[in-house]
Amino acid sequence: MILACVAASLAAGAQESDTVISAAELAKVESNAEAIDTIDTRDKYTKIVLYKNFTWQYIELDRPNISDEDFQDGWDTDNIHAYQDVTIASLPDSVDLMLADSTHGWACPKVGSVISGWKFRRYREHKGSDIPLNIGDPILAAFDGKVRVVRTVRETGGYGNLIVVRHANGLETYYAHLSKHLVQEGDLVKAGEVIGLGGNSGRSTGPHLHFEVRYMGKAFDAERIFDFASGQLRDTLFTLKKHYFNIYSHYGQTEKESVAATGTVIHVVRSGDTLGAIARRHGTTVGSICRLNHITANTILRIGQRLVIR
């Protein structure tokens, strides 16, 4: 119908107006009594407005303030996780990352209380923040960026339908368990743009967004970036420290507790402790504790005994 209207307009001698207007004027144009329709073009940041007098006009929406040159380092569309040859040991002790400024915006991907965060969960590392939602809820790009990976549940397994966006500051954000992708690999996206719809795909026990933040392929607690409950960015300049990549180093700890998380984990045996209970408490296995401490599963524990957990 819309395309037919465009064709009819052109056939009837429709003329393009001389100017290309900005997104700031979009609302004004759409409220103009003479405008009858706004349609998409092949470029999602360019629209066409049709008028009753058989004229039409391009609208240039604000584009991401980034270029392809921002994404040359480690660009990889074959693997979900990029920078596979980078080790945590090779990363700097700290790096300052600008998250937002006057030319780069931000948006909380989904506002809501975190139901499962950065921690050991069922003997495996849970490296993201889970936000409840209704299937079909819009999921927003956290920052301006370029889509590196779009995968279906058949390709990702646990992540379900997944989108990975690379950002110019070196971060990558992961959006998992989606019901639908709304972008393709290689697309440029703006902060706040709807890139997918919430779902329950993959290894998921209920509808939610699994959101991860990674630097050089290494994940850290996404709650260091966003207060999901309020939907606020915690700071525009973020100092990422190497020990943040440790699963025991999470937002909300004191600096002393966080630094301690990077070292060897020791458990001091208390009355009533068993190897099974200790393993469950620390998200590990009895076998692993036995190997680290050169004991067996039948070893009798002593109160005050120090066990290396990892």
Side-chain angles (χ1 to χ4, degrees):
M1 179 67 180
I2 292 175
L3 292 179
C5 182
V6 174
S9 297
L10 294 176
Q15 300 293 317
E16 178 188 0
S17 62
D18 293 334
T19 59
V20 175
I21 66 177
S22 69
E25 299 172 277
L26 176 58
K28 181 178 178 181
V29 168
E30 291 183 333
S31 65
N32 189 319
E34 296 298 315
I36 60 173
D37 211 344
T38 303
I39 63 175
D40 297 333
T41 68
R42 291 183 178 181
D43 178 358
K44 66 181 178 180
Y45 294 109
T46 302
K47 308 292 183 182
I48 296 175
V49 176
L50 302 180
Y51 297 94
K52 286 183 179 180
N53 64 356
F54 296 102
T55 62
W56 52 283
Q57 187 174 40
Y58 283 116
I59 295 175
E60 291 288 343
L61 303 182
D62 294 333
R63 297 173 182 271
N65 187 26
I66 51 179
S67 69
D68 281 341
E69 294 181 0
D70 294 319
F71 308 102
Q72 297 300 316
D73 182 38
W75 188 259
D76 180 358
T77 58
D78 294 327
N79 298 291
I80 291 175
H81 303 308
Y83 303 106
Q84 296 199 7
D85 57 343
V86 174
T87 64
I88 291 178
S90 68
L91 297 178
D93 289 337
S94 68
V95 58
D96 290 331
L97 301 173
M98 182 61 70
L99 300 181
D101 57 23
S102 60
T103 60
H104 296 89
W106 62 273
C108 186
K110 182 71 179 75
V111 178
S113 298
V114 175
I115 55 176
S116 185
W118 173 266
K119 62 181 180 180
F120 255 101
R121 191 178 69 181
R122 295 190 294 273
Y123 305 110
R124 70 175 64 196
E125 295 182 1
H126 183 250
K127 294 185 176 182
S129 296
D130 290 351
I131 315 299
L133 48 69
N134 295 314
I135 293 178
D137 281 354
I139 302 302
L140 311 182
F143 308 103
D144 294 354
K146 184 175 182 178
V147 179
R148 183 174 64 81
V149 166
V150 174
R151 293 287 190 275
T152 66
V153 63
R154 292 183 179 180
E155 300 169 294
T156 69
Y159 278 121
N161 296 319
L162 171 71
I163 295 171
V164 179
V165 180
R166 172 78 61 85
H167 307 288
N169 57 14
L171 293 179
E172 288 193 330
T173 49
Y174 286 48
Y175 311 78
H177 304 316
L178 304 176
S179 61
K180 186 176 182 179
H181 306 116
L182 298 180
V183 292
Q184 299 178 349
E185 290 181 358
D187 282 357
L188 295 180
V189 297
K190 280 188 66 66
E193 182 175 333
V194 179
I195 59 175
L197 302 180
N200 189 32
S201 58
R203 189 165 51 242
S204 172
T205 57
H208 69 276
L209 171 68
H210 173 88
F211 179 74
E212 290 185 14
V213 183
R214 292 179 178 247
Y215 177 76
M216 299 297 287
K218 311 305 178 189
F220 60 92
D221 188 358
E223 290 190 75
R224 294 186 184 277
I225 300 292
F226 288 107
D227 179 347
F228 292 98
S230 67
Q232 295 300 305
L233 188 71
R234 295 200 186 275
D235 207 341
T236 55
L237 180 65
F238 172 62
T239 299
L240 174 61
K241 300 182 180 181
K242 185 184 291 187
H243 65 259
Y244 289 177
F245 299 116
N246 189 289
I247 196 64
Y248 296 103
S249 179
H250 58 81
Y251 181 77
Q253 291 174 319
T254 66
E255 189 65 15
K256 181 178 179 181
E257 290 172 329
S258 187
V259 172
T262 66
T264 301
V265 177
I266 301 293
H267 177 87
V268 180
V269 176
R270 295 174 292 185
S271 176
D273 276 349
T274 65
L275 285 173
I278 295 170
R280 288 191 296 273
R281 185 178 307 154
H282 292 281
T284 185
T285 65
V286 171
S288 176
I289 294 175
C290 289
R291 286 192 298 274
L292 289 172
N293 294 275
H294 307 290
I295 59 178
T296 71
N298 297 321
T299 298
I300 297 175
L301 302 179
R302 306 183 311 276
I303 294 176
Q305 181 179 354
R306 296 168 63 84
L307 295 175
V308 178
I309 304 301
R310 55 179 53 82

